[in-house]
Amino acid sequence: MYSEELFNESKKYFPGGVNSPVRAFKPYPFFVKSAGGSKITDEDGKTYIDHCLAYGPLILGHANPKVVREVSNQLTIGTAYGAPTENEITLAKEVIDRIPSAEMVRFCNSGTEATMSAIRLARGFTGRDKIVKFEGAYHGAHDYVLVKGGSGAATLPDSPGIPEDTTKNTLSVPFNDEEALTELIEKEGENIACIIMEVVMGNVGCIEPKPGFLEFIRKITEENNIVLIFDEVITGFRASRGGAQEYYGVTPDLTTLGKIVGGGLPMGAFCGKKEIMELIAPQGPVYQAGTFSGNPISVQAGISTMAQLDDSFYKELERKGNFLRGNIQSIIDDEGYNVQPVGLASMFQIYFNPAPVYNYADAQESDRKIFLRYFKTLLKEGIFIPPSQFECNFISNAHSMEDLQKTSDAIELGLGAAFKKRRR
Ligand SMILES: *Cc1c(COP(=O)(O)O)cnc(C)c1O
């Protein structure tokens, strides 16, 4: 069956025809038949260069041979034990060796679980109820953090089904705004258990912290005994070997991980200072558990992935990122497009916005209609990026320079197509 038919069929069985909302786009998403390396092939027989990469996990591209081989071996000796394994220690050591804030780890099954548990841990550690997040930051789909914000301190749930009672302790402030955070902490500091933040806001596009912003947050949280949580579900093992905290040189108290940590299989983790992590059950009283936590298949995929992520790997990936971002900048300069190219390491995006983007409100000013014309042209040219202005695009080490040149050429066409209509 072709993608269009499959989508019509799928809509009968799944709300909106998909199992996670961002996957649906108009008129219909392509259905995947297979993938390998930098490429993904749909049921219509078309192959794309993949810059969505499952929204972040696939830093080695699809079906990396070492991961496939070692995970296949693990499959033959069991897929879940309900008892600990030596491999969990091996992967924990990798996490602790890489992530500056990590002294102890708990593995779980998704980024959502990781942030939910880290927030509970911060509340248990401080005995305080309120949490602070930044407007537009995404920390998974659980109740406490499904608050976009944008209207002052106390914020309303972003979805029906979440009682206001659940989010009344979730406060939000604009990203990159020292004044707003200072004011909030002056007022509420003694009640705030934690600040949870994406170091690079990767779920409203790609917004970097302004110079000094992370240092400021580190200082103000320390002064007020607030636990600082870096949600590095995207940036962990992506921004650098040690994540965004290594990239920017600021170390939080707790870190949440997901996406890459499971080597392309479902997995999450949270880690941090021993003094805090020791409160987790069964060592301490803060409850956290999971049937599939530390699952041997995901753990093996994590180990097989980490084994390939050394310093030279990141150097090479950064070189590829710089090549692509450089090409994008040249195209924009040559044509005088009024857009904002952003990104770092192996992340990139273009904001269809005449002004620089520092926070959620700025990002909201971007022109989604123009973005969609750009997206459609890329798709037609065989380049798959997430179908949203408010996602980040990725590069894996499986992307060749030839792939990246093709992507650049498609972006040139995409920008042309996006703006031609407007000029008319
Ligand atoms: C993807 C993501 C999550 C949620 O992870 P899931 O594995 O989808 O539950 C949390 N935080 C950030 C920053 C993410 O990008």
Side-chain angles (χ1 to χ4, degrees):
M1 255 193 282
Y2 291 114
S3 292
E4 186 171 7
E5 292 172 80
L6 285 166
F7 190 54
N8 287 332
E9 179 90 348
S10 197
K11 279 191 282 195
K12 295 181 203 159
Y13 306 111
F14 304 114
V18 291
N19 279 300
S20 196
V22 72
R23 292 176 198 171
F25 58 84
K26 282 178 182 149
Y28 57 86
F30 64 77
F31 274 58
V32 179
K33 186 166 191 153
S34 66
S38 63
K39 309 281 177 15
I40 190 163
T41 301
D42 69 14
E43 294 281 1
D44 311 300
K46 183 162 180 174
T47 295
Y48 303 84
I49 297 172
D50 188 1
H51 290 289
C52 176
L53 292 171
Y55 292 88
L58 305 175
I59 198 163
L60 297 171
H62 294 276
N64 174 264
K66 179 178 168 73
V67 175
V68 170
R69 196 169 55 242
E70 293 176 4
V71 165
S72 304
N73 287 341
Q74 176 59 46
L75 282 168
T76 64
I77 55 171
T79 59
Y81 301 133
T85 60
E86 186 174 352
N87 267 354
E88 287 162 75
I89 303 175
T90 306
L91 185 57
K93 281 183 176 165
E94 286 290 343
V95 171
I96 290 165
D97 178 55
R98 286 156 196 265
I99 306 291
S101 63
E103 294 173 7
M104 277 182 128
V105 190
R106 168 62 56 94
F107 291 132
C108 53
N109 301 293
S110 67
T112 296
E113 256 187 60
T115 65
M116 189 174 75
S117 306
I119 288 168
R120 181 183 298 161
L121 176 57
R123 285 171 159 161
F125 179 73
T126 55
R128 301 168 175 178
D129 286 342
K130 294 197 191 299
I131 66 171
V132 177
K133 72 182 281 290
F134 290 96
E135 287 169 8
Y138 181 70
H139 302 294
H142 65 87
D143 286 4
Y144 287 125
V145 290
L146 223 50
V147 171
K148 278 265 191 309
S151 57
T155 36
L156 295 174
D158 208 34
S159 160
I162 302 177
E164 271 180 53
D165 258 4
T166 312
T167 54
K168 71 173 188 224
N169 287 316
T170 305
L171 312 174
S172 62
V173 286
F175 194 62
N176 277 325
D177 187 339
E178 296 189 10
E179 224 170 283
L181 190 58
T182 304
E183 215 170 281
L184 180 64
I185 288 179
E186 272 170 12
K187 213 168 85 198
E188 292 281 1
E190 287 179 3
N191 305 314
I192 296 171
C194 64
I195 294 179
I196 182 164
M197 64 183 296
E198 290 180 82
V199 183
V200 176
M201 297 249 282
N203 289 281
V204 285
C206 186
I207 307 177
E208 285 193 70
K210 282 185 182 168
F213 186 59
L214 296 175
E215 288 82 357
F216 158 78
I217 293 179
R218 179 64 282 188
K219 185 156 174 281
I220 202 167
T221 47
E222 252 161 22
E223 285 167 359
N224 291 275
N225 300 313
I226 295 167
V227 175
L228 178 57
I229 307 173
F230 280 179
D231 180 356
E232 294 227 42
V233 170
I234 287 180
T235 51
F237 317 109
R238 167 74 66 184
S240 75
R241 186 177 176 277
Q245 53 197 271
E246 182 184 72
Y247 186 91
Y248 293 106
V250 175
T251 305
D253 302 304
L254 295 176
T255 301
T256 55
L257 299 166
K259 299 193 170 122
I260 293 172
V261 76
L265 273 84
M267 186 161 177
F270 58 103
C271 55
K273 283 189 179 147
K274 206 169 172 189
E275 162 194 27
I276 308 177
M277 291 299 293
E278 279 177 343
L279 286 187
I280 291 284
Q283 192 163 350
V286 177
Y287 195 70
Q288 199 283 335
T291 300
F292 287 107
S293 294
N295 174 263
I297 308 301
S298 299
V299 166
Q300 182 58 61
I303 292 170
S304 306
T305 297
M306 295 301 154
Q308 302 175 64
L309 306 185
D310 57 14
D311 287 332
S312 68
F313 174 93
Y314 285 99
K315 224 176 250 163
E316 173 68 11
L317 200 53
E318 175 118 35
R319 197 174 68 83
K320 287 178 175 175
N322 288 338
F323 172 74
L324 183 57
R325 284 187 298 269
N327 283 354
I328 293 171
Q329 187 68 58
S330 307
I331 295 162
I332 291 169
D333 291 346
D334 286 352
E335 296 290 328
Y337 293 124
N338 211 356
V339 297
Q340 311 297 321
V342 291
L344 64 148
S346 51
M347 302 161 71
F348 69 100
Q349 181 55 293
I350 299 171
Y351 280 112
F352 289 82
N353 193 323
V357 173
Y358 297 113
N359 58 36
Y360 179 58
D362 294 345
Q364 291 302 307
E365 296 297 313
S366 306
D367 194 323
R368 290 163 222 212
K369 276 210 193 100
I370 297 186
F371 173 85
L372 277 182
R373 287 205 290 270
Y374 163 79
F375 164 75
K376 292 247 160 78
T377 305
L378 261 59
L379 209 56
K380 210 175 100 223
E381 293 297 314
I383 309 294
F384 179 40
I385 60 169
S388 164
Q389 169 76 96
F390 306 115
E391 298 287 345
C392 194
N393 310 319
F394 299 105
I395 302 167
S396 79
N397 76 323
H399 287 75
S400 66
M401 295 306 276
E402 195 192 338
D403 287 336
L404 297 178
Q405 189 54 52
K406 278 187 187 153
T407 301
S408 307
D409 294 345
I411 287 175
E412 185 165 10
L413 287 173
L415 283 165
F419 282 105
K420 241 171 228 149
K421 276 188 188 157
R422 200 186 209 190
R423 289 211 193 101
R424 220 174 28 200

